Coordinates of all heavy atoms in Angstrom, one line a residue:
D733 N 1.7 15.0 -0.7 CA 1.7 16.2 -1.4 C 3.0 16.9 -1.3 O 3.8 16.6 -0.4 CB 0.6 17.2 -0.9 CG -0.8 16.6 -1.0 OD1 -1.0 15.9 -2.0 OD2 -1.6 16.9 -0.1
C734 N 3.3 17.8 -2.3 CA 4.6 18.5 -2.3 C 4.6 19.4 -1.0 O 3.6 20.0 -0.7 CB 4.6 19.4 -3.5 SG 6.0 20.6 -3.4
E735 N 5.7 19.4 -0.3 CA 5.8 20.1 1.0 C 5.7 21.6 0.8 O 5.4 22.3 1.7 CB 7.1 19.8 1.6 CG 6.9 19.3 3.0 CD 8.2 18.8 3.6 OE1 9.1 19.7 3.9 OE2 8.4 17.6 3.7
H736 N 6.1 22.1 -0.4 CA 6.1 23.5 -0.6 C 4.7 24.0 -1.2 O 4.1 24.9 -0.6 CB 7.2 24.0 -1.5 CG 7.2 25.4 -1.7 ND1 7.6 26.3 -0.7 CD2 6.9 26.2 -2.8 CE1 7.5 27.6 -1.2 NE2 7.1 27.5 -2.4
C737 N 4.3 23.5 -2.3 CA 3.1 24.0 -3.0 C 1.9 23.2 -2.6 O 0.8 23.5 -3.0 CB 3.3 24.1 -4.5 SG 3.4 22.4 -5.3
E738 N 2.1 22.0 -2.0 CA 1.0 21.1 -1.6 C 0.3 20.5 -2.8 O -0.8 20.0 -2.7 CB 0.1 21.7 -0.6 CG 0.8 22.1 0.7 CD -0.1 22.3 1.9 OE1 -1.3 22.3 1.8 OE2 0.5 22.5 3.0
G739 N 0.9 20.7 -3.9 CA 0.3 20.0 -5.1 C 0.7 18.6 -5.1 O 1.5 18.1 -4.3
P740 N 0.1 17.8 -6.1 CA 0.3 16.3 -6.1 C 1.8 16.1 -6.5 O 2.4 16.8 -7.3 CB -0.7 15.8 -7.1 CG -1.0 17.0 -8.0 CD -0.9 18.2 -7.1
M741 N 2.3 15.0 -6.0 CA 3.7 14.6 -6.4 C 3.6 13.9 -7.8 O 2.6 13.2 -8.0 CB 4.3 13.6 -5.4 CG 4.4 14.2 -4.0 SD 5.7 15.5 -3.9 CE 7.2 14.5 -3.9
R750 N 10.1 14.9 -1.2 CA 9.3 15.9 -0.5 C 8.8 17.0 -1.3 O 7.9 17.7 -0.9 CB 10.2 16.5 0.7 CG 10.6 15.4 1.6 CD 11.8 15.9 2.5 NE 11.3 17.1 3.3 CZ 12.2 17.8 4.0 NH1 13.4 17.5 4.1 NH2 11.8 18.9 4.7
F751 N 9.4 17.2 -2.5 CA 8.9 18.3 -3.3 C 8.6 17.9 -4.7 O 9.3 16.9 -5.3 CB 10.0 19.4 -3.4 CG 10.4 19.8 -2.0 CD1 11.6 19.4 -1.4 CD2 9.6 20.7 -1.3 CE1 11.9 19.7 -0.1 CE2 9.9 21.1 0.0 CZ 11.1 20.6 0.6
C752 N 7.7 18.5 -5.4 CA 7.2 18.1 -6.7 C 8.2 18.4 -7.8 O 8.2 17.8 -8.9 CB 5.8 18.6 -7.0 SG 5.7 20.3 -7.3
K753 N 9.0 19.5 -7.6 CA 9.9 19.9 -8.6 C 11.1 20.7 -7.9 O 10.9 21.1 -6.8 CB 9.2 20.8 -9.6 CG 8.5 22.0 -9.1 CD 7.8 22.7 -10.2 CE 7.0 23.9 -9.7 NZ 5.8 23.6 -9.0
A755 N 12.2 23.7 -8.2 CA 11.9 25.0 -7.8 C 11.2 25.0 -6.4 O 11.4 25.9 -5.6 CB 11.0 25.7 -8.8
C756 N 10.4 24.0 -6.1 CA 9.7 23.9 -4.8 C 10.7 23.6 -3.7 O 10.6 24.1 -2.6 CB 8.6 22.9 -4.9 SG 7.1 23.5 -5.7
R757 N 11.7 22.7 -4.0 CA 12.7 22.4 -3.1 C 13.5 23.7 -2.7 O 13.8 24.0 -1.5 CB 13.7 21.3 -3.6 CG 14.8 21.0 -2.7 CD 15.9 20.2 -3.4 NE 15.3 19.0 -4.0 CZ 14.9 17.9 -3.4 NH1 15.2 17.8 -2.1 NH2 14.4 16.9 -4.0
Ligands
ZN337 ZN1 5.6 21.7 -5.4

Side-chain angles (χ1 to χ4, degrees):
D733 295 329
C734 171
E735 232 174 73
H736 180 70
C737 70
E738 300 200 352
M741 298 293 283
R750 297 166 59 186
F751 305 101
C752 70
K753 54 184 181 285
C756 282
R757 176 190 308 281

